[in-house]
Amino acid sequence: MAIVLRSSPLLWTRLAAMVFACVAFSVAVHGGRLYHGTGDWCIFCWAFSFAGTLLVILVELFGLQTRAPVSWKNFPITFACYATLLCLSASIIFPLYFLKGSSGQSEIRDYRIVSTVFSCLATIAYMSEVSISKARPGEVAGYMATAPGLLKVCETFVACVIFVFISDPPAYARHDTLKYCMSVYCICFILSMAVVVLCVGECTGCLPFPFARFLSAYALLAVVLYLSALIIWPIFNFDPNHGGVKQRPSSCSNTQGLCPWDKVMAVAVLTAVNFILYLADLIYSTRLVFVSA
């Protein structure tokens, strides 16, 4: 089996991202003394990014792209985009839980600072990989390398973060309208992830209807659903007339990480973020339908 080694900015960017992610989780495991469940999440983000990048490099090194069971036009950039978001989330969560207000041993704190720095470097490296790999105007590329494809990745990731905040503790259980919001997040996540899987698995041609029209119809549905959730969630969580709490409780100042009120606020902000992403997705998808027509 021939080894194909072609030096390129993309290869060096992937190598840098892999090394940074490896250092981040190695240092954290070795001396970070992670005791919170969020520490496991950060380790997963770095280790998953490292392993996936190593897989991509090995496949291209041995020229196995045609034998891969996925579309190689879509898989590497899809993974790089998810790795960007994973490392970004770890770069925010890790210092929030393990550096903010920490008064432990200085050596342990130093390990945590190093992990945070290399997590930020990995995020920058993965962002550079996405920037290098994304489709240019007039260039023939896979759907996931285009703006709508990258938006799908962001939509699913933001939804996953919403699920984390909304479920611990369950912030949707006290009212039926909040359960409706939860169903909105689930439905849109499932449809977006289905689009990503279809594109990476190169199965879009198996659909009994035009893929472009499905994307625009689904994006319109998601915009309407998220707009309703964007209105309902704040009303029933922050309006005292509907059982909400308007002001941040003073007890949150003594809570490590995020208190329940902070998580509810985070869900409201992320709902607005995903609404904007779906709105941009709708604009791109509608334009795709008109261009195809």
Side-chain angles (χ1 to χ4, degrees):
M1 185 179 296
I3 296 179
V4 182
L5 182 59
R6 296 175 181 173
S7 179
S8 66
L10 182 58
L11 174 61
W12 290 112
T13 302
R14 285 173 177 165
L15 287 172
M18 185 178 69
V19 171
F20 293 151
C22 181
V23 173
F25 79 78
S26 299
V27 171
V29 169
H30 176 69
R33 299 236 183 132
L34 310 183
Y35 51 84
H36 198 276
T38 51
D40 297 334
W41 165 253
C42 294
I43 294 296
F44 166 77
C45 291
W46 299 323
F48 178 79
S49 301
F50 165 79
T53 306
L54 178 62
L55 175 64
V56 170
I57 291 175
L58 290 177
V59 169
E60 296 196 348
L61 188 65
F62 289 102
L64 300 175
Q65 296 93 322
T66 56
R67 300 184 183 181
V70 294
S71 168
W72 208 251
K73 294 183 298 182
N74 291 306
F75 177 77
I77 190 169
T78 302
F79 175 81
C81 193
Y82 274 120
T84 301
L85 297 170
L86 286 170
C87 290
L88 177 62
S89 68
S91 300
I92 297 172
I93 293 173
F94 190 79
L96 186 64
Y97 278 86
F98 296 101
L99 285 178
K100 178 185 176 184
S102 64
S103 57
Q105 300 177 22
S106 60
E107 184 180 355
I108 296 175
R109 182 178 175 84
D110 291 342
Y111 278 113
R112 293 173 178 177
I113 291 174
V114 171
S115 291
T116 303
V117 170
F118 276 92
S119 179
C120 294
L121 291 174
T123 302
I124 295 172
Y126 280 116
M127 287 177 63
S128 301
E129 181 183 347
V130 173
S131 178
I132 294 171
S133 303
K134 70 178 182 180
R136 302 294 189 271
E139 180 183 356
V140 178
Y143 175 78
M144 297 306 298
T146 63
L150 296 175
L151 284 172
K152 294 290 188 304
V153 173
C154 296
E155 291 158 6
T156 55
F157 184 82
V158 171
C160 287
V161 179
I162 288 176
F163 294 148
V164 172
F165 285 143
I166 205 173
S167 59
D168 183 26
Y172 58 89
R174 65 180 181 82
H175 204 283
D176 289 340
T177 52
L178 299 179
K179 293 178 182 178
Y180 163 79
C181 293
M182 183 62 174
S183 67
V184 168
Y185 304 141
C186 291
I187 291 170
C188 295
F189 169 77
I190 291 171
L191 291 175
S192 292
M193 185 55 71
V195 171
V196 173
V197 171
L198 285 172
C199 291
V200 173
E202 233 170 12
C203 301
T204 55
C206 302
L207 297 176
F209 39 77
F211 184 59
R213 294 188 181 277
F214 164 72
L215 291 176
S216 58
Y218 148 64
L220 177 60
L221 173 65
V223 167
V224 173
L225 290 176
Y226 258 91
L227 178 60
S228 64
L230 183 61
I231 297 172
I232 293 173
W233 184 264
I235 290 177
F236 285 88
N237 278 294
F238 304 118
D239 187 356
N241 296 327
H242 294 86
V245 179
K246 187 175 182 179
Q247 299 293 333
R248 187 173 187 260
S250 57
S251 58
C252 288
S253 302
N254 302 321
T255 304
Q256 184 181 33
L258 300 177
C259 69
W261 191 92
D262 292 334
K263 293 180 179 180
V264 170
M265 175 60 74
V267 171
V269 173
L270 292 173
T271 301
V273 170
N274 241 6
F275 170 72
I276 295 172
L277 291 175
Y278 277 111
L279 187 60
D281 195 356
L282 175 62
I283 294 171
Y284 275 110
S285 299
T286 304
R287 190 172 66 176
L288 181 63
V289 169
F290 282 114
V291 170
S292 300

